[in-house]
Amino acid sequence: MSGFHGLFIPGPTNMPFPVRQAMDLPLEDQRAPDFPAFTLPLFRDLKKVFRTESGQIFLFPSSGTGGWEAAITNTLSPGDKVLIAVFGQFSHLWADLCRRHGFDVDVLDVAWGEGFPLDACEARLKADRAHEIKAVLVCHNETATGVTSDVGGVRRALEAARHPALLMVDGVSSIASIDFRMDEWGVDIAVCGSQKGFMLPTGLAIVGVSQKALDAHKTAKCPRGFFDFTMMGNANKDGFFPYTPATTLLRGLRASVDMLLGEGLDNVAARHHRLAEGARAGVAAWGLSLCAKAPKWYSDTVTAICVPKGFNSDDVIKTAYHRYQLSLGLGLTKVAGKVFRIGHIGHVNEIMILQALAGCEMALRDVGIDVAPGSGVAAAQEHYRETAPRMELPKVA
Ligand SMILES: *Cc1c(COP(=O)(O)O)cnc(C)c1O
């Protein structure tokens, strides 16, 4: 097959050339005397991406799921109560992981397509006068449904209830792509992975931890080994790791962080928003509906689209893959067969979104869903034309 395969799943995402090039190097000595000169500034700059000054960053050779495990085992004790809202496959899986670790999991069950229920959470916290809830777990961007929740609002709910629970956030498909403010929102643990907004291969869990969470860690009794903050932190303070770090990925991460900070985090978020608005304009022009139930929840990193009744979204995805070299995200569990997803996270631009929309249109029509050819592409084009930065064009001599 010629050309590039269209990768429009919400992770792994498209890898920029500078990131790939930064990883094309021989394996290196992770105990070299000059290794800390590389790692210490990397930790410092990652804090900027998480927007934390007082927090600490941990890097584990793992994936986002390992970051979840690091968060709960390092700061809680067996049997502790955690409050989590479930409104999609990823929030469901985090709740499930908590159950398998023996925590008392209090679930706020929410319809898929809605976001974190702030009022219900505040009511639960206010009712918990004995402060049995030790942590509130929030999936910032539910990748399964294309729903972004208001993490700052969860912090306000905790404050309104004067509740001391830790605030833990799954930012796997939001950090480094959409607006995320660890310190401002009082996030105690922020979990990310390498293969989404950071535009890297899978293989790193990137975890931001507040001083409050580090204090909780001192008395937390859950068994932990590989993910232990103390062991990791002791080695990290001198720029080293307690076991072999994924040095190649760390080199890629350096390039990725340089790209993100070079563009500016506000610009990165604005770019994701503009691209997502174009994708949503395309979906509206098709006459299809989003899985996300209200604009306040629309995700700027992934758009989940419902197929009309009587159609199977898996057919759209298979057709796009086999006929047009286009990978789209599947509908997961509860929305299997009902939803397909366009990932627009990381290294993406306008033309790439138009490509994805064009491929979707062909696949939709192939399976018998009557969208007007070119309608979604045209709507997105007009959005991008209207919102393109107006720059002086170079004069032709
Ligand atoms: C991808 C994803 C995860 C899982 O991360 P892995 O790296 O696959 O372990 C968790 N939460 C969200 C919101 C995700 O998008």
Side-chain angles (χ1 to χ4, degrees):
M1 295 271 202
S2 56
F4 293 108
H5 182 93
L7 186 66
F8 291 95
I9 55 174
T13 63
N14 294 278
M15 227 190 330
F17 283 112
V19 172
R20 290 169 66 164
Q21 280 162 348
M23 291 188 293
D24 185 3
L25 79 170
L27 290 174
E28 59 192 303
D29 172 6
Q30 87 275 16
R31 300 198 203 284
D34 56 355
F35 195 59
F38 164 61
T39 54
L40 293 174
L42 180 60
F43 282 118
R44 186 193 63 213
D45 289 341
L46 278 166
K47 286 170 59 166
K48 295 180 193 158
V49 177
F50 279 62
R51 294 197 199 252
T52 181
E53 284 180 9
S54 53
Q56 191 173 334
I57 302 290
F58 290 88
L59 293 167
F60 298 101
S62 182
S63 76
T65 304
W68 284 344
E69 184 154 325
I72 56 178
T73 58
N74 272 291
T75 55
L76 301 171
S77 298
D80 273 357
K81 187 170 194 164
V82 300
L83 179 63
I84 181 167
V86 171
F87 43 84
Q89 183 63 5
F90 292 96
S91 39
H92 162 76
L93 286 174
W94 201 10
D96 190 52
L97 188 73
C98 290
R99 263 183 229 106
R100 284 185 278 145
H101 277 279
F103 296 115
D104 175 4
V105 184
D106 188 359
V107 171
L108 295 166
D109 226 330
V110 177
W112 286 34
E114 293 180 15
F116 190 93
L118 294 173
D119 293 344
C121 171
E122 187 173 325
R124 234 12 169 263
L125 292 170
K126 280 184 170 157
D128 179 35
R129 296 231 170 69
H131 295 167
E132 283 175 357
I133 297 169
K134 299 300 176 201
V136 177
L137 276 50
V138 182
C139 182
H140 184 201
N141 187 76
E142 179 45 88
T143 318
T145 55
V147 160
T148 303
S149 289
D150 176 8
V151 176
V154 184
R155 168 52 63 199
R156 288 192 291 280
L158 281 155
E159 280 167 0
R162 298 177 190 280
H163 201 292
L166 294 169
L167 174 54
M168 301 191 188
V169 177
D170 172 348
V172 179
S173 60
S174 61
I175 294 169
S177 43
I178 59 184
D179 192 35
F180 184 85
R181 296 164 184 270
M182 181 162 167
D183 282 3
E184 195 179 314
W185 298 341
V187 174
D188 292 302
I189 305 206
V191 175
C192 198
S194 47
Q195 79 278 19
K196 296 188 181 170
F198 283 100
M199 311 170 285
L200 286 162
T202 316
L204 292 176
I206 308 168
V207 183
V209 183
S210 74
Q211 291 303 321
K212 182 177 165 187
L214 289 171
D215 282 344
H217 171 71
K218 290 181 190 148
T219 52
K221 295 195 177 56
C222 281
R224 59 232 170 203
F226 185 80
F227 290 116
D228 187 45
F229 284 168
T230 299
M231 175 186 70
M232 186 54 92
N234 285 342
N236 284 172
K237 70 177 174 354
D238 301 318
F240 295 105
F241 291 82
Y243 42 74
T244 319
T247 54
T248 311
L249 290 175
L250 296 183
R251 292 289 170 182
L253 184 60
R254 178 70 261 174
S256 149
V257 167
D258 286 343
M259 284 182 75
L260 291 164
L261 296 179
E263 183 176 357
L265 295 176
D266 290 337
N267 296 331
V268 170
R271 171 169 55 84
H272 279 83
H273 179 67
R274 176 164 171 265
L275 293 176
E277 287 276 291
R280 289 190 285 265
V283 175
W286 294 336
L288 299 182
S289 58
L290 298 178
C291 184
K293 293 203 166 109
K296 66 174 173 179
W297 291 316
Y298 288 173
S299 166
D300 286 338
T301 53
V302 54
T303 297
I305 302 145
C306 302
V307 293
K309 279 208 172 54
F311 293 94
N312 187 337
S313 61
D314 287 352
D315 295 337
V316 179
I317 292 157
K318 281 187 197 141
T319 304
Y321 184 83
H322 289 297
R323 286 198 182 143
Y324 306 117
Q325 296 187 64
L326 171 65
S327 278
L328 300 167
L330 280 168
L332 301 171
T333 58
K334 254 192 202 181
V335 290
K338 297 179 185 159
V339 156
F340 71 94
R341 295 174 295 151
I342 302 174
H344 32 77
I345 173 168
H347 188 53
V348 194
N349 62 26
E350 296 90 335
I351 301 296
M352 291 167 75
I353 303 294
L354 298 178
Q355 171 195 2
L357 292 171
C360 286
E361 284 178 3
M362 292 192 284
L364 286 163
R365 288 178 61 75
D366 287 354
V367 305
I369 299 174
D370 187 23
V371 300
S375 57
V377 173
Q381 283 173 323
E382 289 308 288
H383 175 73
Y384 296 144
R385 287 187 56 239
E386 280 158 21
T387 56
R390 294 286 167 224
M391 53 176 75
E392 282 289 323
L393 299 179
K395 290 220 166 46
V396 181

